[in-house]
Amino acid sequence: MDRLAVSSSALKSIGYDAQAMILEIEREDGSVFQYLDVPSSTYEALMMADSKGKYFNSHVKPLYKYNRVKYASPLPAPKALADELPTLDESSPTLEDLPDTTSTLNEVNRGYRKPKS
């Protein structure tokens, strides 16, 4: 189904099949839903609405059955994320460079008293 890009913070594109009475919504996250038995008047009102997201949330989403036809876009591949991580070199801190907090934790634990029940 062809969809038209729309100006909305929640919806990316909207399509409508008048014969089948199917309203297709693509959300900003890339997921796509088809709403069933939607009259053309609802589609037309949605396309004319100042806030398509608000109209959709109040006049379409709670009233019509739907099928999800595409899930949201997946997260970037792990390699892409790894490429953004800083690399370690000889000047990078090691565990030995971290302050020793063992004695502080022991002092805190000694002063801890179990609450009376």
mmCIF file of all heavy atoms in Angstrom, residues 66-85:
data_model
loop_
_atom_site.group_PDB
_atom_site.id
_atom_site.type_symbol
_atom_site.label_atom_id
_atom_site.label_comp_id
_atom_site.label_asym_id
_atom_site.label_seq_id
_atom_site.Cartn_x
_atom_site.Cartn_y
_atom_site.Cartn_z
ATOM 1 N N TYR A 66 -6.682 -3.966 14.573
ATOM 2 C CA TYR A 66 -5.490 -3.734 13.759
ATOM 3 C C TYR A 66 -4.620 -4.982 13.684
ATOM 4 O O TYR A 66 -4.750 -5.910 14.477
ATOM 5 C CB TYR A 66 -4.670 -2.574 14.322
ATOM 6 C CG TYR A 66 -4.059 -2.869 15.673
ATOM 7 C CD1 TYR A 66 -2.802 -3.463 15.760
ATOM 8 C CD2 TYR A 66 -4.733 -2.580 16.847
ATOM 9 C CE1 TYR A 66 -2.238 -3.745 16.998
ATOM 10 C CE2 TYR A 66 -4.182 -2.862 18.084
ATOM 11 C CZ TYR A 66 -2.932 -3.438 18.145
ATOM 12 O OH TYR A 66 -2.375 -3.728 19.367
ATOM 13 N N ASN A 67 -3.739 -4.973 12.707
ATOM 14 C CA ASN A 67 -2.691 -5.975 12.563
ATOM 15 C C ASN A 67 -1.361 -5.233 12.440
ATOM 16 O O ASN A 67 -1.281 -4.239 11.703
ATOM 17 C CB ASN A 67 -2.886 -6.820 11.292
ATOM 18 C CG ASN A 67 -4.124 -7.668 11.357
ATOM 19 O OD1 ASN A 67 -4.372 -8.332 12.360
ATOM 20 N ND2 ASN A 67 -4.919 -7.645 10.303
ATOM 21 N N ARG A 68 -0.375 -5.723 13.165
ATOM 22 C CA ARG A 68 0.963 -5.157 13.001
ATOM 23 C C ARG A 68 1.587 -5.874 11.803
ATOM 24 O O ARG A 68 1.652 -7.083 11.773
ATOM 25 C CB ARG A 68 1.819 -5.387 14.241
ATOM 26 C CG ARG A 68 3.190 -4.752 14.144
ATOM 27 C CD ARG A 68 4.118 -5.198 15.249
ATOM 28 N NE ARG A 68 3.547 -5.047 16.560
ATOM 29 C CZ ARG A 68 4.023 -4.251 17.514
ATOM 30 N NH1 ARG A 68 5.099 -3.548 17.282
ATOM 31 N NH2 ARG A 68 3.458 -4.193 18.685
ATOM 32 N N VAL A 69 2.039 -5.106 10.819
ATOM 33 C CA VAL A 69 2.624 -5.720 9.629
ATOM 34 C C VAL A 69 4.145 -5.554 9.581
ATOM 35 O O VAL A 69 4.810 -6.216 8.792
ATOM 36 C CB VAL A 69 1.979 -5.189 8.330
ATOM 37 C CG1 VAL A 69 0.522 -5.603 8.261
ATOM 38 C CG2 VAL A 69 2.115 -3.688 8.212
ATOM 39 N N LYS A 70 4.679 -4.693 10.428
ATOM 40 C CA LYS A 70 6.128 -4.528 10.492
ATOM 41 C C LYS A 70 6.495 -4.043 11.892
ATOM 42 O O LYS A 70 5.860 -3.141 12.431
ATOM 43 C CB LYS A 70 6.607 -3.517 9.454
ATOM 44 C CG LYS A 70 8.109 -3.325 9.440
ATOM 45 C CD LYS A 70 8.530 -2.293 8.409
ATOM 46 C CE LYS A 70 9.999 -2.000 8.549
ATOM 47 N NZ LYS A 70 10.379 -0.796 7.827
ATOM 48 N N TYR A 71 7.500 -4.675 12.459
ATOM 49 C CA TYR A 71 7.978 -4.259 13.778
ATOM 50 C C TYR A 71 8.920 -3.085 13.642
ATOM 51 O O TYR A 71 9.433 -2.799 12.557
ATOM 52 C CB TYR A 71 8.660 -5.428 14.490
ATOM 53 C CG TYR A 71 7.661 -6.401 15.061
ATOM 54 C CD1 TYR A 71 7.131 -7.419 14.272
ATOM 55 C CD2 TYR A 71 7.209 -6.293 16.359
ATOM 56 C CE1 TYR A 71 6.191 -8.304 14.780
ATOM 57 C CE2 TYR A 71 6.266 -7.164 16.875
ATOM 58 C CZ TYR A 71 5.773 -8.168 16.075
ATOM 59 O OH TYR A 71 4.845 -9.020 16.585
ATOM 60 N N ALA A 72 9.164 -2.407 14.760
ATOM 61 C CA ALA A 72 10.056 -1.252 14.782
ATOM 62 C C ALA A 72 11.432 -1.651 14.283
ATOM 63 O O ALA A 72 11.841 -2.810 14.372
ATOM 64 C CB ALA A 72 10.151 -0.682 16.196
ATOM 65 N N SER A 73 12.158 -0.681 13.777
ATOM 66 C CA SER A 73 13.510 -0.921 13.288
ATOM 67 C C SER A 73 14.380 -1.466 14.410
ATOM 68 O O SER A 73 14.298 -1.000 15.548
ATOM 69 C CB SER A 73 14.118 0.380 12.765
ATOM 70 O OG SER A 73 13.325 0.889 11.721
ATOM 71 N N PRO A 74 15.216 -2.451 14.095
ATOM 72 C CA PRO A 74 16.076 -3.021 15.133
ATOM 73 C C PRO A 74 17.166 -2.047 15.557
ATOM 74 O O PRO A 74 17.442 -1.061 14.869
ATOM 75 C CB PRO A 74 16.681 -4.248 14.447
ATOM 76 C CG PRO A 74 16.630 -3.926 12.993
ATOM 77 C CD PRO A 74 15.406 -3.070 12.803
ATOM 78 N N LEU A 75 17.780 -2.357 16.686
ATOM 79 C CA LEU A 75 18.911 -1.561 17.144
ATOM 80 C C LEU A 75 20.071 -1.726 16.174
ATOM 81 O O LEU A 75 20.147 -2.712 15.458
ATOM 82 C CB LEU A 75 19.341 -2.022 18.537
ATOM 83 C CG LEU A 75 18.323 -1.794 19.655
ATOM 84 C CD1 LEU A 75 18.830 -2.439 20.942
ATOM 85 C CD2 LEU A 75 18.088 -0.319 19.857
ATOM 86 N N PRO A 76 20.994 -0.778 16.170
ATOM 87 C CA PRO A 76 22.159 -0.941 15.290
ATOM 88 C C PRO A 76 22.922 -2.220 15.632
ATOM 89 O O PRO A 76 22.889 -2.680 16.770
ATOM 90 C CB PRO A 76 23.018 0.285 15.599
ATOM 91 C CG PRO A 76 22.182 1.201 16.389
ATOM 92 C CD PRO A 76 21.033 0.425 16.944
ATOM 93 N N ALA A 77 23.592 -2.756 14.655
ATOM 94 C CA ALA A 77 24.368 -3.976 14.862
ATOM 95 C C ALA A 77 25.429 -3.740 15.931
ATOM 96 O O ALA A 77 25.967 -2.635 16.042
ATOM 97 C CB ALA A 77 25.029 -4.391 13.559
ATOM 98 N N PRO A 78 25.735 -4.767 16.742
ATOM 99 C CA PRO A 78 26.739 -4.596 17.797
ATOM 100 C C PRO A 78 28.060 -4.042 17.296
ATOM 101 O O PRO A 78 28.692 -3.251 17.962
ATOM 102 C CB PRO A 78 26.903 -6.008 18.361
ATOM 103 C CG PRO A 78 25.608 -6.678 18.058
ATOM 104 C CD PRO A 78 25.135 -6.086 16.770
ATOM 105 N N LYS A 79 28.492 -4.429 16.091
ATOM 106 C CA LYS A 79 29.755 -3.923 15.570
ATOM 107 C C LYS A 79 29.699 -2.401 15.428
ATOM 108 O O LYS A 79 30.649 -1.706 15.760
ATOM 109 C CB LYS A 79 30.101 -4.571 14.243
ATOM 110 C CG LYS A 79 31.421 -4.060 13.686
ATOM 111 C CD LYS A 79 31.871 -4.828 12.499
ATOM 112 C CE LYS A 79 33.142 -4.332 11.883
ATOM 113 N NZ LYS A 79 33.885 -3.290 12.477
ATOM 114 N N ALA A 80 28.581 -1.892 14.961
ATOM 115 C CA ALA A 80 28.447 -0.445 14.809
ATOM 116 C C ALA A 80 28.574 0.243 16.163
ATOM 117 O O ALA A 80 29.184 1.300 16.276
ATOM 118 C CB ALA A 80 27.116 -0.101 14.149
ATOM 119 N N LEU A 81 27.996 -0.360 17.197
ATOM 120 C CA LEU A 81 28.124 0.211 18.534
ATOM 121 C C LEU A 81 29.566 0.124 19.017
ATOM 122 O O LEU A 81 30.094 1.051 19.620
ATOM 123 C CB LEU A 81 27.200 -0.518 19.517
ATOM 124 C CG LEU A 81 25.708 -0.322 19.296
ATOM 125 C CD1 LEU A 81 24.925 -1.204 20.251
ATOM 126 C CD2 LEU A 81 25.333 1.127 19.489
ATOM 127 N N ALA A 82 30.230 -1.005 18.751
ATOM 128 C CA ALA A 82 31.604 -1.194 19.197
ATOM 129 C C ALA A 82 32.536 -0.194 18.526
ATOM 130 O O ALA A 82 33.513 0.260 19.138
ATOM 131 C CB ALA A 82 32.056 -2.615 18.925
ATOM 132 N N ASP A 83 32.250 0.160 17.298
ATOM 133 C CA ASP A 83 33.093 1.129 16.593
ATOM 134 C C ASP A 83 33.068 2.496 17.257
ATOM 135 O O ASP A 83 33.990 3.289 17.102
ATOM 136 C CB ASP A 83 32.658 1.262 15.136
ATOM 137 C CG ASP A 83 32.961 0.015 14.323
ATOM 138 O OD1 ASP A 83 33.791 -0.807 14.775
ATOM 139 O OD2 ASP A 83 32.363 -0.143 13.245
ATOM 140 N N GLU A 84 32.008 2.797 17.998
ATOM 141 C CA GLU A 84 31.883 4.093 18.654
ATOM 142 C C GLU A 84 32.554 4.134 20.025
ATOM 143 O O GLU A 84 32.719 5.198 20.602
ATOM 144 C CB GLU A 84 30.407 4.454 18.808
ATOM 145 C CG GLU A 84 29.695 4.625 17.474
ATOM 146 C CD GLU A 84 28.207 4.879 17.644
ATOM 147 O OE1 GLU A 84 27.770 5.193 18.761
ATOM 148 O OE2 GLU A 84 27.483 4.757 16.652
ATOM 149 N N LEU A 85 32.928 2.969 20.560
ATOM 150 C CA LEU A 85 33.552 2.926 21.880
ATOM 151 C C LEU A 85 34.988 3.398 21.790
ATOM 152 O O LEU A 85 35.678 3.164 20.802
ATOM 153 C CB LEU A 85 33.508 1.501 22.444
ATOM 154 C CG LEU A 85 32.118 0.943 22.722
ATOM 155 C CD1 LEU A 85 32.228 -0.513 23.130
ATOM 156 C CD2 LEU A 85 31.444 1.749 23.811
#
